[in-house]
């Protein structure tokens, strides 16, 4: 509940969203409270005009400073202010103020992710959001109120998790306060995220193209052995096909083309070795900036968990494998496996 007028009471909520594998569906963490009746329809009366924060650039800089001081205390890299995140955070603070609701989702159901995309942000990034509301905070909004905001956020496990999250690189902040002493504040975070299968003590180290292929080969052969299939071998030629198919730039627009295109990427001297090819592709978002061993495990497991893909991987006719992961540096990764079926 909000505190009575004259007292500074805080309500806080945290949210994290990222893109999932293959279907690129949004996943939401956190349990926002059920919307009140005021959140199911627009306010009939026009809300009072918000008071501008005094020297808002200083306020944003202080909000970032508090976050980075805390991250430094936990041996985490600092974040940088980003205009797109500032825009999305301020838009949500203004909307909650104008229409008098309090939630990560707008009255139309738009999320922090949606607002970031509307501000021209990358759809492949991991997006997190903290919000707070204060009843009894006097305008204009001053830097001093940020200390209380930050302290309250850090005392809440969900908000603390967002502030101390690994895989983040940028920060945005929005705040509004009105003559009725009602303040809304929004923190937005963004970054490439981390590989899905990264273990707590595992080093976040880039893995070479050949290292990726050979690790994938081990995982595929473990599954084939369990199913009584003969092991497959690593093929530099098929690995070259996988590398040639994935673009150096514009990964976001990548589409797997026909097998004829794959054949064109294969040296003529190698074309007679296989009767046909089987190709699998998958992507993920918010899963880190560079390919790692954890990514290989993740993609391999996704394919082995899918009945159709598993059947391809365990096909007795498969003799050789090529595998590669490409990244756009913003959180998007695409994995491609090329399977050569013997004659």
């Amino acid at each position: 509940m909000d505190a009575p007028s004259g007292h500074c009471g805080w309500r806080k909520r945290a949210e994290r969203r990222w893109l999932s594998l293959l279907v690129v569906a949004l996943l939401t963490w956190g349990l926002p409270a059920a919307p009140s009746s005021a959140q199911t329809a627009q306010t009939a009366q026009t809300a009072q005009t918000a008071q501008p924060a005094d020297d808002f650039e200083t306020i944003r800089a202080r909000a970032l400073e508090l976050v980075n001081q805390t991250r430094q205390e936990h041996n985490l890299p600092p974040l940088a202010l980003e205009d797109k995140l500032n825009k999305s955070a301020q838009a949500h603070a203004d909307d909650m103020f104008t229409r008098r609701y309090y939630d990560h989702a707008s009255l139309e159901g738009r999320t922090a992710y949606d607002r970031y995309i509307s501000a021209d942000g990358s759809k492949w990034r991991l997006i997190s959001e903290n919000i707070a509301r204060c009843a009894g905070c006097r305008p204009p909004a001053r830097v001093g109120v940020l200390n209380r905001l930050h302290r309250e956020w850090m005392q809440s496990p969900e908000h603390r998790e967002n502030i101390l999250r690994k895989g983040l690189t940028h920060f945005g902040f929005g705040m509004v306060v009105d003559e009725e002493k009602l303040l809304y504040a929004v923190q937005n975070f963004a970054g490439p995220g981390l590989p899905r299968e990264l273990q707590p003590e595992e080093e976040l180290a880039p893995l070479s193209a050949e290292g990726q292929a050979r690790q994938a080969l081990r995982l595929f052969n473990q599954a084939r052995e369990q199913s009584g299939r003969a092991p497959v071998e690593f093929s530099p030629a098929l690995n070259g096909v996988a590398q040639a198919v994935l673009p150096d730039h514009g990964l976001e627009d990548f589409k797997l083309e026909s097998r004829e295109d794959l054949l064109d990427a294969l040296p003529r001297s190698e074309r007679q070795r296989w009767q046909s090819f089987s190709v699998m592709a998958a992507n993920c978002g918010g899963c880190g900036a560079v390919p790692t061993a954890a990514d290989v495990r993740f993609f391999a497991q996704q394919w082995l968990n899918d009945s159709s893909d598993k059947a391809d991987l365990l096909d007795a006719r498969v003799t050789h494998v090529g595998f590669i992961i490409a990244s756009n540096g913003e959180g998007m990764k695409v994995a491609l496996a090329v399977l050569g079926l013997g004659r």
Side-chain angles (χ1 to χ4, degrees), residues 233-281:
E233 297 180 13
F234 169 67
S235 168
L238 294 183
N239 219 51
V241 171
Q243 287 180 294
V245 169
L246 290 174
D248 294 329
H249 304 286
L251 189 63
E252 297 84 353
D253 300 322
F254 168 73
K255 293 181 181 179
L256 186 61
E257 302 297 342
S258 67
R259 294 188 180 184
E260 286 72 19
D261 293 325
L262 294 174
L263 188 62
D264 289 340
L266 188 66
R268 289 187 177 275
S269 60
E270 298 284 342
R271 294 182 185 181
Q272 301 304 316
R273 295 188 62 184
W274 298 284
Q275 180 179 2
S276 61
F277 302 91
S278 181
V279 184
M280 297 182 298

Side-chain angles (χ1 to χ4, degrees), residues 11 13 33-44 99-103 106-107 133:
R11 295 184 65 187
R13 291 188 184 156
S36 65
S37 58
Q39 292 173 289
T40 59
Q42 294 191 12
T43 305
R99 300 199 284 173
R100 288 299 192 267
Y101 70 94
Y102 181 63
D103 207 325
S106 72
L107 299 181
R133 178 169 64 179

Side-chain angles (χ1 to χ4, degrees), residues 44-60:
Q45 298 180 349
T46 303
Q48 297 214 19
T49 303
Q51 297 297 309
D54 55 323
D55 192 3
F56 201 64
E57 292 304 313
T58 300
I59 286 178
R60 277 199 171 118

Side-chain angles (χ1 to χ4, degrees), residues 1 88 121 268:
M1 297 294 291
S88 62
R268 289 187 177 275

Side-chain angles (χ1 to χ4, degrees), residues 136-149:
C137 289
R138 298 179 179 179
R142 299 187 183 279
V143 171
V145 76
L146 296 175
N147 297 323
R148 177 69 182 275
L149 268 174

